[in-house]
Amino acid sequence: MKHYVEIGDTDLAPLLDLNHRTVDFPAGKTIVALNEPVDKIYIVTSGWSLRARYLDDGRRQIINFQLPGDYFDLMSLVGARSDHTISAATDTTLRIYNGQDYLRAIQRSHRLAAAFWWVTVQEETILRQQIVRIGRMSAQERIANFILELNRRQNIADGDRDDFVPLPVPQAFLADALGLSVVHISRSLTSLKARDLVKTSRRGIEIIDRDSLVELAEYDPALFEPKPVPLAAQ
Amino acid sequence: MKHYVEIGDTDLAPLLDLNHRTVDFPAGKTIVALNEPVDKIYIVTSGWSLRARYLDDGRRQIINFQLPGDYFDLMSLVGARSDHTISAATDTTLRIYNGQDYLRAIQRSHRLAAAFWWVTVQEETILRQQIVRIGRMSAQERIANFILELNRRQNIADGDRDDFVPLPVPQAFLADALGLSVVHISRSLTSLKARDLVKTSRRGIEIIDRDSLVELAEYDPALFEPKPVPLAAQ
DNA sequence: CGCATGTTTGATAAACCTCAAGACCGGTGG
DNA sequence: CCACCGGTCTTGAGGTTTATCAAACATGCG
C-alpha cells in the first residue's frame, strides 16, 4: 500500500496535513446518500468505492469507481446536493476532510488550487470516456476499454507497470458500469479469452495481448496521461 | 436573444468586461480540434455547438451540446489538451476569452471563482446524467429524458416556461448523443407521439404530457435546479 | 420545378436481455 | 480433510430491442 507515498509526491500534498479522520466502510455501505449536502472531500486509502444512480425499478448505473489514491467530491463544495449515491464497492477506508479547511487551503496556495483543478479535469475526462464507451461501443469494446482504463489508473496508484488488473468486485458491477447484463459480460469475456486477448480469474483480469486490446478498444492512453501543470497566471 | 441579460445577471458578469472577440462558426466547422491545447474559454451567444469523439470507423458519440448562454472549457486551462472535438452543430456565434485574463479575474474575485465552480459542478452533473441515460435507459426513456433536459436548459437561457423544445439539428445528432441509430430515434419518437406525450415538427418537439414524460424518464428537475451559491469560506 | 437533405417505413439481421439450470469456488463447520 | 453452502460465473434456449439496408416520402431551398 504505497498510495500515501504517491499522494505525498503530488502538489496535493499540503492536503495531507489538514485535519481529517479515517473511516472504514464495509462493502455495500453508503458513503454519501442521494440528496445529501456535500461538504466534505474524500481520499480513498484502500478498497473501491463507487458512484451510482438507481432507477425506480432497480436498474443501477455505475457512473465511475474510485480507486485507492483517488480524490472525490472536490467540486461539490459550492452548496450542491448529491445527485447520486456513493457507496463502498468493497471494504473501503477513506480519509475525510472538512470542506472549509480545504477551501481555505486552496485559497492560500495557487499551486494547490491548480493541482485541484487538474484532478477535476481528469475526472471530467473519465466521465467523457465513460460516455463514449457505453454510447457507441460494442460489449467487447467496452470491456476492453474499461480494462485498459482500470489498468492505467491502477498503475498510476501503484507505480508499477503490471498487466494484471485486479477486480475486487463481481462481474455484476462491471455490468452496471458498462450498461450490460451480467450474462453478456460473462459471454463477452469468454470471447475475449477465446481471442487470447485476456485471461480471467476470480481475482481479476490479465492482459495478454495489449496491442490487440488497445486496437479493439481504440484506447489512446496519451489522452489520459497526466501532464505537468503549467500553473498559468501564478 | 436575451442571453446577454441572463449572463449579466449572474455572478459571472465580471467576465463580460474582459477582452474578448466574437466569432461566427458555420455549421459543421471545428471550434476546438482533438489534441489541441486548451487555453481559451467560450460563451455561446447563439446557435448550438457540440462536444464529440469519433471512433475509427466513423461512429460518433456526442458527449453534450452547448446551448446559448453556456460556458465551456472553463476547466481546461491547466495545460490540458482536448481529448475530443468541439464543433458548431448549427451556425454558431461565440465569445472567446483569453485564458490568462480569465484566470486573473478569478483570482481577484472569490465570488467569481465560486460562480465558476458552480458552472463546472453543473457541467459534471450533465455528464453524469448522460451516462445514466445511455447506460441504463431504453430508447424511449432516453429521448424523453433528453427532451426534458433540453427544455430545462433552454428555459434557463430564455427565462420562459415553454413546452416547445426547439431542435435545430437533425435527428442524426440526437442519435449520436443518445447512442442510438437514426432509424430507431425516428421510430421511438413515433411511439412517443402515438402515446400522446409529444408532438414533433421540423423545428422541434412539443411537450404535450409533461407528467407522463417525467415519469417515463424518471426525470427529477430538482437534481439540476441551480441553487444559490453559499460562497463558503469567503 | 428539381434537387439535396432529412424523415419515415418495411424487411431482415445482429446484439443484447431474460430466465433458468448447472458448474465452479472459497469459505465454514463438522 | 471432507461436505456443504452461498455466492458467483457460465451455458443454453428463446425473446426483445436495436441496428442495418434500402426505398419511399416529406421538406426546404435555389
Side-chain angles (χ1 to χ4, degrees):
Chain A
M1 295 292 153
K2 54 166 95 157
H3 315 305
Y4 279 98
V5 177
E6 275 302 311
I7 294 171
D9 283 347
T10 73
D11 287 334
L12 288 156
L15 260 191
L16 295 179
D17 298 331
L18 296 179
N19 266 337
H20 66 274
R21 56 189 212 277
T22 301
V23 183
D24 291 325
F25 293 88
K29 185 97 185 282
T30 297
I31 298 168
V32 181
L34 188 69
N35 259 322
E36 188 176 318
V38 182
D39 56 358
K40 305 174 190 63
I41 63 169
Y42 303 84
I43 305 179
V44 180
T45 299
S46 70
W48 287 20
S49 63
L50 63 84
R51 204 184 288 262
R53 262 203 56 201
Y54 296 82
L55 301 186
D56 291 345
D57 61 0
R59 281 175 289 178
R60 170 176 72 166
Q61 177 62 42
I62 294 177
I63 294 161
N64 59 3
F65 291 102
Q66 290 84 44
L67 273 46
D70 281 354
Y71 297 66
F72 63 93
D73 274 7
L74 292 185
M75 276 313 289
S76 305
L77 295 168
V78 283
R81 286 170 181 276
S82 176
D83 59 336
H84 50 258
T85 303
I86 297 181
S87 58
T90 67
D91 292 345
T92 304
T93 305
L94 300 178
R95 309 183 109 207
I96 306 182
Y97 292 84
N98 177 283
Q100 300 300 317
D101 294 348
Y102 162 75
L103 283 173
R104 273 189 289 270
I106 276 184
Q107 288 172 4
R108 273 198 306 271
S109 161
H110 285 162
R111 188 167 193 84
L112 182 59
F116 138 80
W117 284 5
W118 181 256
V119 170
T120 305
V121 168
Q122 290 285 106
E123 177 145 344
E124 274 201 29
T125 301
I126 289 172
L127 292 182
R128 284 193 289 264
Q129 181 63 10
Q130 170 77 336
I131 290 171
V132 174
R133 245 196 307 262
I134 61 185
R136 277 296 181 226
M137 290 188 152
S138 73
Q140 286 189 39
E141 290 166 341
R142 290 183 212 185
I143 293 174
N145 191 289
F146 184 73
I147 291 171
L148 289 168
E149 168 74 7
L150 270 185
N151 182 244
R152 182 190 68 83
R153 289 172 61 190
Q154 287 170 345
N155 280 343
I156 291 172
D158 302 344
D160 299 339
R161 276 289 150 186
D162 201 340
D163 282 341
F164 182 73
V165 184
L167 211 73
V169 295
Q171 291 182 8
F173 284 63
L174 268 197
D176 287 338
L178 299 180
L180 298 165
S181 69
V182 191
V183 173
H184 203 59
I185 289 279
S186 170
R187 284 194 223 275
S188 305
L189 271 174
T190 302
S191 305
L192 290 179
K193 278 183 282 189
R195 295 170 63 182
D196 286 320
L197 301 183
V198 300
K199 281 183 187 167
T200 68
S201 72
R202 220 12 105 97
R203 311 231 319 292
I205 298 173
E206 189 181 349
I207 298 173
I208 300 298
D209 183 347
R210 185 182 288 266
D211 292 346
S212 302
L213 215 52
V214 164
E215 189 190 350
L216 173 65
E218 292 193 31
Y219 187 83
D220 181 0
L223 288 183
F224 302 95
E225 226 136 68
K227 284 146 204 145
V229 178
L231 283 181
Q234 163 99 7
Chain B
M1 294 294 152
K2 55 166 92 158
H3 315 303
Y4 279 99
V5 178
E6 275 301 312
I7 294 171
D9 284 347
T10 74
D11 287 334
L12 288 157
L15 258 191
L16 294 180
D17 299 330
L18 297 179
N19 266 337
H20 66 273
R21 57 190 211 277
T22 300
V23 183
D24 292 324
F25 292 88
K29 185 97 185 282
T30 296
I31 298 168
V32 181
L34 189 69
N35 258 323
E36 188 176 319
V38 182
D39 56 358
K40 305 175 189 61
I41 63 169
Y42 304 84
I43 305 179
V44 181
T45 298
S46 70
W48 287 19
S49 63
L50 63 82
R51 205 183 286 261
R53 262 203 56 202
Y54 297 80
L55 302 187
D56 291 344
D57 61 359
R59 281 175 290 179
R60 170 176 72 166
Q61 177 62 41
I62 294 177
I63 293 161
N64 58 4
F65 292 101
Q66 289 85 43
L67 274 46
D70 281 355
Y71 298 66
F72 63 92
D73 274 7
L74 292 184
M75 276 314 288
S76 306
L77 295 168
V78 284
R81 285 170 181 277
S82 177
D83 59 336
H84 49 258
T85 303
I86 297 181
S87 58
T90 67
D91 292 346
T92 304
T93 306
L94 299 178
R95 308 183 111 207
I96 305 182
Y97 292 84
N98 177 283
Q100 301 299 318
D101 294 347
Y102 162 75
L103 284 173
R104 273 188 289 270
I106 277 185
Q107 288 171 2
R108 272 198 306 271
S109 161
H110 285 162
R111 188 167 194 82
L112 182 60
F116 138 80
W117 284 6
W118 181 256
V119 170
T120 306
V121 169
Q122 291 285 104
E123 177 143 345
E124 274 201 29
T125 302
I126 289 172
L127 293 182
R128 283 193 291 264
Q129 181 63 9
Q130 171 78 335
I131 290 171
V132 174
R133 246 195 308 261
I134 62 185
R136 277 297 182 224
M137 289 186 153
S138 73
Q140 286 190 39
E141 290 167 340
R142 289 182 214 186
I143 293 174
N145 191 289
F146 184 73
I147 291 170
L148 289 168
E149 167 74 6
L150 269 186
N151 181 245
R152 181 189 69 82
R153 289 173 61 189
Q154 288 171 344
N155 280 343
I156 290 172
D158 301 343
D160 301 337
R161 277 288 149 187
D162 202 339
D163 282 341
F164 183 71
V165 184
L167 210 73
V169 295
Q171 292 181 7
F173 284 63
L174 270 196
D176 286 338
L178 299 179
L180 298 165
S181 69
V182 191
V183 174
H184 203 58
I185 290 279
S186 170
R187 284 194 223 275
S188 304
L189 271 173
T190 302
S191 305
L192 291 178
K193 279 183 280 190
R195 296 169 63 181
D196 286 320
L197 301 183
V198 300
K199 281 183 186 166
T200 68
S201 72
R202 216 13 105 92
R203 311 229 318 292
I205 297 173
E206 189 182 350
I207 298 173
I208 300 298
D209 183 347
R210 185 182 288 267
D211 292 346
S212 302
L213 216 51
V214 164
E215 188 189 350
L216 173 65
E218 293 194 27
Y219 186 82
D220 181 0
L223 289 184
F224 302 95
E225 226 135 69
K227 283 147 203 144
V229 178
L231 282 181
Q234 165 98 4

